[in-house]
Amino acid sequence: MHLRKSVSLVGGFVFLQAALASPALATDTSFAASTVNALGVDLLASVAKPNENALLSPYSIQSALAMTYAGAASETKAEMAKVLHYPADEAALHRSFANFRRELEEIHERTVKLVNKSSHENGPGEPITLMIANRLYGQSGYAFRPTFLSLVKDNYGAPFQPVDFIHASENARSEINGWVSERTHNRINDLIPSGGVDEKTRLALVNAIYFKAAWAEEFPENSTRAEPFFFDGTKVEKVQTMRLQSSHLGYTRGEGFKAITIRYVGGDVQLLVLLPDKKDGLAALEAKLTPLLLAKCAKSAPTELIFYLPKFKMEPPSIPLGSVLQSLGLQKAFNQPRGSADFDRMAPRKPDDYLALSEVFHKAFLALDEQGTEATAATSIITLAAFGVAHVAPRPKPIEVRVDHPFLFAIQHRTSGACLFLGRVVDPR
């Protein structure tokens, strides 16, 4: 049997989930939140070596895969649902992603109103920028099912753009990468590397997410100092470290770790820092990371803290996730064994002409300083066309927390706990 490649590009940063509610609720986002965090935990250990920085957008990756899932059939569909932590009710899953996307997009509008309302009171000067974009790039003339194209457009806001992979695959790659670069303010370039698509490509499902936000309380720049950071439990180097004293930081003590949350303007999104008690305790903390733990830490109670946090910037290269997803059990979708991929709900499956995943590319960027955070990501899936005062008590002494050794972090949607971005910092330099 002659197998022909087809590309399906999906990405999002979004670089993102919650307790399960009734799938009948029109505003429910729990399915999206839970699947985002579950896959993020699955992937974190695999995107970089344990002694390296890591950054990914679980929301972006899962958004792309959910669009792909809309076209899966039979055993391929069942396998994807199991590995990707999808609920039995597929329609509820897609509605949940649609509701979550709209909820994230509304954050910008709410912070615009907040900025306009508080501008005369020395309030925030800039709203949150949170942009999510999806698009399908498909081979012109290929028999994609209208029901599939309508589903991803209605639920993921992904219009269909015809391109010519067969005769001009490099032009198509350039067009897709240009679209991603534009939507991520030129932070994500060359998402699909050279050779990532060719004349056998048939479809690219693309997701991009861009996030830029100021802290609700900024770190004073004159408080930033070079402070010690323990890289491996013993090795010490000085890194630029910010300092903030506030009664509005979230704080939770866990077994062997501390969880600190810092809100961005508007309070809908926050940075979560998970700091192991032991300077060499990162691996043990990462081993106990679960979607439930992420969701619980999102609700950390406001506490008076003196908080020290290193500035850091991360820009890892494009990551191919195909082999990682296969190791998690996504076999048939990648046509393993040969001939087993079934995306008949995406395009009619024929013995000598059918779609299968070939590769999933993901790329992210994050910069964090005294003013706030800028982060963005994108994911691409390559397919094969195989063939809160009563009595005023004495104010307690602030708790001092120094993030001076390797830690985990996430940028979360506070209500649901969904992780738009997730990563580890081993070296903040």
Coordinates of all heavy atoms in Angstrom, one line a residue, residues 75-159:
E75 N -11.5 3.1 16.0 CA -10.5 2.8 17.0 C -9.5 3.9 17.2 O -9.0 4.1 18.3 CB -9.7 1.5 16.7 CG -10.6 0.3 16.8 CD -9.8 -1.0 16.5 OE1 -8.6 -0.9 16.4 OE2 -10.4 -2.1 16.3
T76 N -9.3 4.7 16.2 CA -8.4 5.9 16.3 C -9.0 6.9 17.2 O -8.4 7.5 18.1 CB -8.1 6.5 14.9 OG1 -7.5 5.6 14.1 CG2 -7.3 7.8 15.0
K77 N -10.3 7.1 17.1 CA -11.1 8.0 18.0 C -11.0 7.6 19.4 O -10.8 8.3 20.4 CB -12.5 8.2 17.5 CG -13.4 9.1 18.4 CD -14.8 9.0 17.9 CE -15.7 9.9 18.9 NZ -17.1 9.8 18.5
A78 N -11.3 6.3 19.7 CA -11.3 5.7 21.0 C -9.9 5.8 21.7 O -9.8 6.2 22.8 CB -11.7 4.2 21.0
E79 N -8.8 5.6 20.9 CA -7.5 5.7 21.4 C -7.2 7.1 21.8 O -6.6 7.4 22.8 CB -6.5 5.2 20.3 CG -5.0 5.3 20.7 CD -4.1 5.1 19.6 OE1 -3.9 6.0 18.7 OE2 -3.6 3.9 19.5
M80 N -7.5 8.1 20.9 CA -7.2 9.5 21.2 C -8.0 10.0 22.5 O -7.4 10.7 23.3 CB -7.7 10.4 20.0 CG -6.8 10.2 18.8 SD -7.2 11.4 17.5 CE -6.5 12.9 18.2
A81 N -9.2 9.5 22.6 CA -10.0 9.9 23.8 C -9.4 9.4 25.1 O -9.3 10.1 26.1 CB -11.4 9.3 23.7
K82 N -8.8 8.2 25.0 CA -8.2 7.6 26.2 C -6.9 8.3 26.6 O -6.7 8.7 27.7 CB -7.9 6.1 26.0 CG -7.3 5.4 27.1 CD -7.0 3.9 26.8 CE -6.4 3.2 28.0 NZ -6.1 1.8 27.7
V83 N -6.0 8.4 25.6 CA -4.7 9.0 25.8 C -4.8 10.5 26.2 O -4.0 11.0 27.0 CB -3.8 8.8 24.6 CG1 -2.5 9.5 24.8 CG2 -3.6 7.3 24.3
L84 N -5.7 11.2 25.5 CA -5.8 12.7 25.7 C -6.8 13.1 26.8 O -7.1 14.3 27.0 CB -6.2 13.3 24.4 CG -5.2 13.1 23.2 CD1 -5.8 13.6 21.9 CD2 -3.9 13.6 23.6
H85 N -7.3 12.1 27.5 CA -8.2 12.4 28.7 C -9.5 13.0 28.3 O -10.0 13.9 29.1 CB -7.5 13.2 29.8 CG -6.1 12.7 30.1 ND1 -5.9 11.7 31.0 CD2 -4.9 13.1 29.7 CE1 -4.6 11.5 31.1 NE2 -4.0 12.3 30.3
Y86 N -10.1 12.6 27.2 CA -11.3 13.2 26.7 C -12.5 12.5 27.3 O -12.5 11.3 27.6 CB -11.4 13.1 25.2 CG -10.5 14.0 24.5 CD1 -10.2 13.8 23.1 CD2 -9.8 15.1 25.1 CE1 -9.3 14.6 22.4 CE2 -8.9 15.9 24.4 CZ -8.6 15.6 23.1 OH -7.8 16.4 22.4
P87 N -13.6 13.2 27.6 CA -14.9 12.6 28.1 C -15.6 11.8 27.0 O -15.3 11.9 25.8 CB -15.7 13.9 28.5 CG -15.3 14.9 27.5 CD -13.8 14.7 27.3
A88 N -16.5 11.0 27.5 CA -17.3 10.2 26.5 C -18.1 11.1 25.6 O -18.4 10.7 24.4 CB -18.2 9.2 27.3
D89 N -18.6 12.2 26.1 CA -19.5 13.1 25.3 C -18.6 14.0 24.5 O -18.1 15.0 24.9 CB -20.4 13.9 26.3 CG -21.4 14.7 25.6 OD1 -21.3 15.0 24.4 OD2 -22.5 15.0 26.2
E90 N -18.4 13.7 23.2 CA -17.5 14.4 22.4 C -18.1 15.8 22.1 O -17.3 16.8 22.1 CB -17.3 13.7 21.0 CG -16.4 14.5 20.1 CD -16.3 14.0 18.7 OE1 -16.9 12.9 18.5 OE2 -15.7 14.6 17.9
A91 N -19.4 15.9 21.9 CA -20.0 17.3 21.7 C -19.8 18.2 22.8 O -19.5 19.4 22.6 CB -21.5 17.1 21.4
A92 N -19.8 17.7 24.1 CA -19.6 18.5 25.3 C -18.1 18.9 25.3 O -17.8 20.1 25.8 CB -19.9 17.7 26.5
L93 N -17.2 18.1 24.8 CA -15.8 18.5 24.8 C -15.6 19.7 23.9 O -15.0 20.7 24.3 CB -15.0 17.3 24.3 CG -13.5 17.6 24.1 CD1 -12.7 17.8 25.4 CD2 -12.8 16.6 23.2
H94 N -16.1 19.6 22.7 CA -16.0 20.7 21.7 C -16.7 22.0 22.2 O -16.1 23.1 22.1 CB -16.5 20.3 20.4 CG -15.7 19.2 19.7 ND1 -14.4 19.2 19.6 CD2 -16.2 18.0 19.2 CE1 -14.0 18.1 19.0 NE2 -15.0 17.3 18.8
R95 N -17.9 21.9 22.8 CA -18.5 23.0 23.4 C -17.7 23.6 24.5 O -17.6 24.9 24.6 CB -19.9 22.6 23.9 CG -21.0 22.4 22.9 CD -22.4 22.4 23.5 NE -22.5 21.6 24.6 CZ -23.0 20.3 24.6 NH1 -23.2 19.8 23.4 NH2 -23.1 19.6 25.6
S96 N -17.1 22.8 25.3 CA -16.3 23.3 26.4 C -15.1 24.1 25.9 O -14.7 25.1 26.5 CB -15.8 22.1 27.3 OG -15.1 22.5 28.4
F97 N -14.4 23.6 24.9 CA -13.3 24.3 24.3 C -13.8 25.6 23.7 O -13.1 26.7 23.8 CB -12.6 23.5 23.3 CG -11.4 22.7 23.8 CD1 -11.6 21.4 24.2 CD2 -10.2 23.3 24.1 CE1 -10.5 20.6 24.7 CE2 -9.1 22.6 24.6 CZ -9.3 21.2 25.0
A98 N -14.9 25.6 23.1 CA -15.5 26.9 22.5 C -15.8 27.9 23.6 O -15.5 29.1 23.5 CB -16.8 26.5 21.7
N99 N -16.4 27.4 24.7 CA -16.7 28.3 25.8 C -15.5 28.8 26.5 O -15.4 30.0 26.9 CB -17.6 27.5 26.9 CG -19.0 27.2 26.3 OD1 -19.5 27.9 25.5 ND2 -19.5 26.1 26.8
F100 N -14.5 28.0 26.6 CA -13.2 28.4 27.3 C -12.5 29.4 26.4 O -12.0 30.4 26.9 CB -12.4 27.2 27.5 CG -11.2 27.5 28.4 CD1 -11.3 28.3 29.6 CD2 -9.9 27.0 28.2 CE1 -10.2 28.6 30.4 CE2 -8.8 27.3 29.0 CZ -9.0 28.1 30.1
R101 N -12.5 29.2 25.1 CA -11.9 30.2 24.2 C -12.5 31.6 24.3 O -11.9 32.6 24.4 CB -11.9 29.7 22.8 CG -11.4 30.6 21.7 CD -11.3 30.0 20.3 NE -12.6 29.6 19.9 CZ -13.5 30.3 19.3 NH1 -13.2 31.6 19.0 NH2 -14.7 29.9 18.9
R102 N -13.9 31.6 24.3 CA -14.6 32.8 24.4 C -14.3 33.5 25.8 O -14.2 34.7 25.9 CB -16.1 32.6 24.3 CG -16.5 32.3 22.8 CD -18.0 32.4 22.6 NE -18.7 31.2 23.3 CZ -19.0 30.1 22.6 NH1 -18.7 30.0 21.3 NH2 -19.6 29.1 23.2
E103 N -14.2 32.7 26.9 CA -14.0 33.2 28.2 C -12.6 33.9 28.3 O -12.4 34.9 28.8 CB -14.1 32.1 29.2 CG -14.1 32.6 30.7 CD -14.6 31.5 31.7 OE1 -15.6 30.8 31.4 OE2 -13.9 31.4 32.7
L104 N -11.6 33.2 27.6 CA -10.3 33.8 27.6 C -10.3 35.1 26.8 O -9.6 36.1 27.2 CB -9.3 32.8 27.0 CG -9.0 31.6 27.9 CD1 -8.1 30.6 27.1 CD2 -8.4 31.9 29.2
E105 N -11.0 35.1 25.7 CA -11.0 36.3 24.8 C -11.7 37.5 25.5 O -11.3 38.7 25.3 CB -11.7 36.0 23.5 CG -10.9 35.1 22.6 CD -11.6 34.6 21.4 OE1 -12.9 34.7 21.4 OE2 -11.0 34.1 20.5
E106 N -12.6 37.2 26.4 CA -13.4 38.3 27.1 C -12.5 38.9 28.2 O -12.8 40.0 28.7 CB -14.6 37.7 27.8 CG -15.7 37.3 26.8 CD -16.8 36.6 27.4 OE1 -16.8 36.3 28.6 OE2 -17.8 36.2 26.7
I107 N -11.4 38.3 28.6 CA -10.5 38.8 29.6 C -9.9 40.2 29.2 O -9.9 41.1 29.9 CB -9.4 37.8 30.0 CG1 -10.0 36.6 30.8 CG2 -8.3 38.5 30.8 CD1 -9.0 35.5 31.0
H108 N -9.6 40.2 27.9 CA -9.0 41.5 27.4 C -10.1 42.6 27.5 O -9.7 43.7 28.0 CB -8.7 41.3 25.9 CG -8.3 42.6 25.2 ND1 -7.1 43.3 25.5 CD2 -9.0 43.3 24.3 CE1 -7.1 44.4 24.7 NE2 -8.2 44.4 24.0
E109 N -11.3 42.3 27.1 CA -12.4 43.4 27.2 C -12.6 43.8 28.6 O -12.8 45.0 28.8 CB -13.7 42.8 26.6 CG -13.5 42.4 25.1 CD -13.0 43.5 24.2 OE1 -13.4 44.7 24.5 OE2 -12.2 43.3 23.3
R110 N -12.6 42.9 29.5 CA -12.8 43.3 31.0 C -11.7 44.2 31.5 O -11.9 45.1 32.2 CB -13.0 42.0 31.8 CG -14.3 41.3 31.6 CD -14.6 40.4 32.8 NE -13.7 39.3 32.9 CZ -13.9 38.1 32.3 NH1 -14.9 37.9 31.5 NH2 -13.0 37.1 32.4
T111 N -10.4 43.8 31.1 CA -9.3 44.7 31.6 C -9.3 46.0 30.9 O -8.7 47.0 31.4 CB -8.0 43.9 31.5 OG1 -7.8 43.5 30.1 CG2 -8.0 42.7 32.4
V112 N -9.7 46.1 29.6 CA -9.8 47.4 29.0 C -10.8 48.3 29.8 O -10.4 49.5 30.0 CB -10.4 47.2 27.5 CG1 -10.8 48.6 27.0 CG2 -9.3 46.6 26.6
K113 N -11.9 47.8 30.2 CA -12.9 48.6 31.0 C -12.2 49.0 32.3 O -12.4 50.1 32.8 CB -14.1 47.8 31.2 CG -14.9 47.5 29.9 CD -16.2 46.7 30.2 CE -17.0 46.5 28.9 NZ -18.1 45.6 29.1
L114 N -11.5 48.0 32.9 CA -10.8 48.3 34.2 C -9.8 49.4 34.1 O -9.7 50.3 34.9 CB -10.1 47.0 34.7 CG -9.3 47.1 36.0 CD1 -10.3 47.5 37.2 CD2 -8.6 45.8 36.3
V115 N -9.0 49.4 33.0 CA -8.0 50.4 32.8 C -8.7 51.8 32.6 O -8.2 52.8 33.1 CB -7.1 50.0 31.6 CG1 -6.3 51.2 31.1 CG2 -6.3 48.8 31.9
N116 N -9.7 51.8 31.8 CA -10.4 53.1 31.5 C -11.1 53.6 32.8 O -11.0 54.9 33.0 CB -11.5 52.9 30.5 CG -11.0 52.6 29.1 OD1 -9.8 52.9 28.8 ND2 -11.7 51.9 28.3
K117 N -11.6 52.7 33.6 CA -12.2 53.2 34.9 C -11.3 53.7 35.9 O -11.6 54.6 36.7 CB -13.1 52.0 35.4 CG -13.9 52.3 36.7 CD -14.6 51.1 37.2 CE -15.4 51.4 38.4 NZ -16.2 50.3 38.9
S118 N -10.1 53.1 36.0 CA -9.1 53.4 37.1 C -8.0 54.2 36.6 O -7.1 54.5 37.4 CB -8.6 52.1 37.6 OG -7.9 51.3 36.7
S119 N -8.0 54.7 35.4 CA -6.8 55.5 34.9 C -6.6 56.8 35.7 O -5.4 57.2 35.8 CB -7.0 55.8 33.4 OG -8.2 56.6 33.2
H120 N -7.7 57.4 36.2 CA -7.5 58.6 37.0 C -7.2 58.3 38.5 O -7.1 59.3 39.3 CB -8.8 59.4 36.9 CG -10.0 58.7 37.5 ND1 -10.6 57.7 36.8 CD2 -10.7 58.9 38.7 CE1 -11.6 57.2 37.6 NE2 -11.7 57.9 38.7
E121 N -7.0 57.1 38.8 CA -6.7 56.7 40.2 C -5.4 55.9 40.3 O -5.2 55.2 41.2 CB -7.8 55.8 40.8 CG -9.2 56.4 40.7 CD -10.3 55.5 41.1 OE1 -10.0 54.2 41.2 OE2 -11.5 55.9 41.2
N122 N -4.5 56.2 39.3 CA -3.2 55.4 39.3 C -3.4 53.9 39.2 O -2.6 53.2 39.8 CB -2.3 55.8 40.5 CG -1.8 57.2 40.4 OD1 -1.5 57.7 39.3 ND2 -1.6 57.9 41.5
G123 N -4.5 53.5 38.5 CA -4.7 52.1 38.4 C -3.9 51.5 37.2 O -2.9 52.2 36.7
P124 N -4.2 50.3 36.8 CA -3.4 49.7 35.7 C -3.4 50.6 34.4 O -4.5 51.1 34.1 CB -4.0 48.4 35.5 CG -5.4 48.5 36.0 CD -5.3 49.5 37.2
G125 N -2.3 50.7 33.7 CA -2.2 51.5 32.5 C -2.4 50.7 31.3 O -2.5 51.3 30.2
E126 N -2.4 49.4 31.3 CA -2.5 48.6 30.1 C -3.3 47.4 30.4 O -3.1 46.6 31.4 CB -1.1 48.2 29.7 CG -1.0 47.5 28.3 CD 0.4 47.2 27.9 OE1 1.3 48.0 28.3 OE2 0.6 46.2 27.2
P127 N -4.3 47.1 29.5 CA -5.1 45.8 29.7 C -4.3 44.6 29.3 O -3.2 44.7 28.7 CB -6.2 46.1 28.7 CG -5.6 46.9 27.6 CD -4.7 47.8 28.3
I128 N -4.8 43.5 29.7 CA -4.2 42.2 29.3 C -4.4 42.0 27.8 O -5.5 42.3 27.3 CB -4.8 41.0 30.1 CG1 -4.3 41.0 31.5 CG2 -4.6 39.7 29.4 CD1 -4.9 39.9 32.4
T129 N -3.4 41.5 27.1 CA -3.5 41.1 25.8 C -3.6 39.6 25.8 O -2.6 38.9 26.2 CB -2.4 41.6 24.9 OG1 -2.4 43.0 24.9 CG2 -2.6 41.1 23.4
L130 N -4.7 39.0 25.4 CA -4.8 37.5 25.3 C -5.5 37.2 24.0 O -6.7 37.4 23.9 CB -5.5 37.0 26.5 CG -5.7 35.5 26.6 CD1 -4.4 34.8 26.5 CD2 -6.3 35.1 28.0
M131 N -4.7 36.7 23.1 CA -5.3 36.4 21.8 C -5.1 35.0 21.4 O -4.0 34.4 21.6 CB -4.6 37.3 20.7 CG -5.2 37.2 19.3 SD -4.1 37.8 18.0 CE -2.9 36.5 17.9
I132 N -6.2 34.4 20.9 CA -6.1 33.0 20.5 C -6.6 32.9 19.1 O -7.6 33.5 18.7 CB -7.1 32.1 21.4 CG1 -6.6 32.2 22.9 CG2 -7.1 30.7 20.9 CD1 -7.6 31.7 23.8
A133 N -5.9 32.2 18.2 CA -6.3 32.1 16.8 C -6.1 30.7 16.4 O -5.1 30.0 16.7 CB -5.4 33.0 16.0
N134 N -7.0 30.2 15.6 CA -7.0 28.9 15.0 C -7.3 29.0 13.5 O -8.0 29.8 13.0 CB -8.1 28.0 15.6 CG -7.8 27.7 17.1 OD1 -6.8 27.2 17.4 ND2 -8.8 28.0 17.9
R135 N -6.6 28.2 12.7 CA -6.9 28.1 11.3 C -6.5 26.8 10.7 O -5.6 26.1 11.2 CB -6.1 29.2 10.6 CG -6.3 29.3 9.0 CD -5.8 30.6 8.4 NE -6.7 31.7 8.8 CZ -6.7 32.8 8.2 NH1 -5.9 33.1 7.2 NH2 -7.5 33.8 8.6
L136 N -7.2 26.4 9.7 CA -7.0 25.2 8.9 C -6.4 25.5 7.6 O -7.0 26.3 6.8 CB -8.2 24.4 8.7 CG -8.6 23.3 9.8 CD1 -8.8 24.0 11.1 CD2 -9.9 22.6 9.4
Y137 N -5.3 25.0 7.2 CA -4.7 25.1 5.9 C -4.8 23.7 5.3 O -4.1 22.8 5.7 CB -3.2 25.5 6.0 CG -3.0 27.0 6.5 CD1 -2.9 27.3 7.8 CD2 -2.9 28.0 5.5 CE1 -2.8 28.6 8.2 CE2 -2.8 29.3 5.9 CZ -2.7 29.6 7.3 OH -2.5 30.9 7.7
G138 N -5.6 23.6 4.2 CA -5.8 22.4 3.5 C -5.5 22.4 2.1 O -5.5 23.4 1.4
Q139 N -5.1 21.2 1.5 CA -4.9 21.1 0.1 C -6.1 21.5 -0.7 O -7.2 21.0 -0.5 CB -4.4 19.7 -0.2 CG -4.2 19.4 -1.7 CD -3.1 20.3 -2.3 OE1 -2.1 20.4 -1.7 NE2 -3.3 20.8 -3.5
S140 N -5.9 22.4 -1.6 CA -7.0 22.9 -2.5 C -7.5 21.7 -3.3 O -6.7 20.9 -3.9 CB -6.5 24.0 -3.4 OG -7.5 24.4 -4.3
G141 N -8.8 21.5 -3.3 CA -9.4 20.4 -4.0 C -9.6 19.1 -3.3 O -10.2 18.2 -3.8
Y142 N -8.9 18.9 -2.1 CA -9.0 17.7 -1.4 C -10.4 17.5 -0.8 O -11.0 18.5 -0.4 CB -7.9 17.6 -0.3 CG -7.7 16.2 0.2 CD1 -7.0 15.3 -0.5 CD2 -8.1 15.9 1.5 CE1 -6.7 14.0 -0.1 CE2 -7.8 14.6 2.0 CZ -7.2 13.7 1.2 OH -6.9 12.4 1.7
A143 N -10.9 16.3 -0.6 CA -12.3 16.1 -0.2 C -12.5 16.1 1.3 O -12.9 15.1 1.9 CB -12.7 14.7 -0.8
F144 N -12.2 17.3 1.9 CA -12.5 17.4 3.3 C -14.0 17.5 3.5 O -14.7 18.1 2.8 CB -11.8 18.7 3.9 CG -10.3 18.7 3.8 CD1 -9.7 19.5 2.9 CD2 -9.6 17.8 4.6 CE1 -8.3 19.5 2.8 CE2 -8.2 17.8 4.5 CZ -7.5 18.6 3.6
R145 N -14.4 16.8 4.6 CA -15.9 16.7 4.8 C -16.4 18.1 5.3 O -15.8 18.6 6.3 CB -16.2 15.6 5.8 CG -15.9 14.2 5.3 CD -16.5 13.2 6.3 NE -16.1 11.8 5.9 CZ -16.8 11.1 5.0 NH1 -17.8 11.6 4.3 NH2 -16.4 9.9 4.7
P146 N -17.4 18.6 4.8 CA -18.0 19.9 5.2 C -18.4 19.9 6.7 O -18.3 20.9 7.4 CB -19.2 20.1 4.3 CG -18.9 19.3 3.1 CD -18.1 18.1 3.6
T147 N -18.9 18.7 7.2 CA -19.3 18.6 8.6 C -18.1 18.9 9.5 O -18.2 19.5 10.6 CB -19.9 17.3 8.9 OG1 -19.0 16.2 8.4 CG2 -21.3 17.1 8.3
F148 N -16.9 18.4 9.2 CA -15.7 18.6 9.9 C -15.2 20.0 9.9 O -14.9 20.6 10.9 CB -14.5 17.7 9.4 CG -13.2 18.0 9.9 CD1 -12.8 17.7 11.2 CD2 -12.3 18.7 9.1 CE1 -11.5 18.0 11.7 CE2 -11.0 19.0 9.6 CZ -10.7 18.7 10.9
L149 N -15.2 20.6 8.7 CA -14.8 22.0 8.6 C -15.8 22.9 9.3 O -15.3 23.9 10.0 CB -14.8 22.4 7.1 CG -13.8 21.6 6.2 CD1 -13.9 22.1 4.7 CD2 -12.4 21.7 6.7
S150 N -17.1 22.6 9.3 CA -18.0 23.4 10.1 C -17.8 23.3 11.6 O -17.9 24.3 12.3 CB -19.5 23.0 9.7 OG -19.7 23.3 8.4
L151 N -17.6 22.1 12.0 CA -17.4 21.8 13.5 C -16.2 22.6 14.0 O -16.3 23.3 15.1 CB -17.2 20.3 13.7 CG -17.2 19.9 15.2 CD1 -17.7 18.4 15.3 CD2 -15.9 20.1 15.9
V152 N -15.1 22.6 13.4 CA -13.9 23.3 13.9 C -14.0 24.8 13.7 O -13.5 25.6 14.6 CB -12.6 22.8 13.2 CG1 -12.3 21.3 13.6 CG2 -12.6 23.0 11.7
K153 N -14.7 25.2 12.7 CA -15.0 26.7 12.6 C -15.9 27.2 13.6 O -15.7 28.2 14.3 CB -15.5 27.0 11.2 CG -15.7 28.5 10.9 CD -16.2 28.8 9.5 CE -16.3 30.3 9.3 NZ -16.8 30.6 7.9
D154 N -17.0 26.4 13.9 CA -18.0 26.9 14.9 C -17.5 26.8 16.3 O -17.8 27.7 17.2 CB -19.3 26.0 14.8 CG -20.0 26.2 13.5 OD1 -19.7 27.2 12.8 OD2 -20.8 25.4 13.1
N155 N -16.7 25.8 16.7 CA -16.2 25.6 18.1 C -14.9 26.1 18.4 O -14.6 26.5 19.5 CB -16.2 24.1 18.4 CG -17.6 23.5 18.5 OD1 -18.3 23.6 19.5 ND2 -18.1 22.9 17.4
Y156 N -14.0 26.2 17.3 CA -12.6 26.7 17.6 C -12.3 28.0 16.8 O -11.2 28.5 16.9 CB -11.6 25.6 17.2 CG -11.8 24.3 18.0 CD1 -12.7 23.3 17.6 CD2 -11.1 24.2 19.2 CE1 -12.9 22.2 18.4 CE2 -11.3 23.0 20.0 CZ -12.2 22.1 19.6 OH -12.4 21.0 20.4
G157 N -13.3 28.5 16.1 CA -13.1 29.7 15.3 C -12.0 29.5 14.3 O -11.2 30.5 14.0
A158 N -11.9 28.4 13.6 CA -10.8 28.0 12.7 C -11.4 28.0 11.3 O -11.9 27.0 10.9 CB -10.2 26.7 13.1
P159 N -11.2 29.1 10.5 CA -11.6 29.1 9.1 C -10.7 28.2 8.3 O -9.5 27.9 8.7 CB -11.5 30.6 8.7 CG -10.4 31.1 9.6 CD -10.6 30.4 10.9

